[in-house]
Amino acid sequence: MRQSPLSEASDDRLLDMLFAGEDIEEEIELEGARIAVTSHRVLAFMPEGGGRRFDHADRPNVLDASVQPTGHDGYLSWVIRSVVYGIILLGGGFLINSSGILAKLGNTEAPNDQIIGGVGQMISSMAVMFGVLTDALLLIGGVLLFVAFVLGALYFVTQSEELVIERAGREPIYVPVNGKEAEDAARRIRTTLGREKA
């Protein structure tokens, strides 16, 4: 299947992209992107973006333009999981430790110092196993909380902003832009479309 010429467009071909009778009303130059609001459509050229290089929406379908924070959501979901599991494991380890079960099992003796079968040895083995389990719970819980901290730091480091052009019936157009430039672009798009917020 041959790709549409629209999907191969770059900002150098803006005039070639216009329909007959379509006029450019606002053209916004951004770092690594270019937005054009025409009498018919909103065109977004992103030659340096990692996703689509060109996207567009018919003017009546454009609902809003705003700046939204963006980051690797995968980091955030793993941060939440790591914190939840880490707290559960640490809580379990502290609960076993503070309940005194280990001390009671370690001090258990058969009546009159007589060992009935292997009961004494079994109780001693259980005390050791609970001790190892407690240490493992505390260690793994601590590691998970440390991992959550590292992933949280990565999430905030990779967080940035992007210009989001919302359109009816389709996914928004995402333009990777930062700072005041993005806010200014969003305001200019809304103004040209007559959707500037009061």
Side-chain angles (χ1 to χ4, degrees), residues 9-12 30 32-34 44-54:
S10 71
D11 57 349
D12 298 328
L30 303 166
R34 185 175 175 189
F45 300 92
M46 301 152 291
E48 297 175 17
R52 292 188 63 156
R53 296 182 63 201
F54 170 78

Side-chain angles (χ1 to χ4, degrees), residues 169-184:
R170 294 174 66 190
E171 286 290 313
I173 299 171
Y174 297 102
V175 183
V177 182
N178 282 316
K180 289 184 178 178
E181 195 178 31
E183 287 287 354
D184 181 58

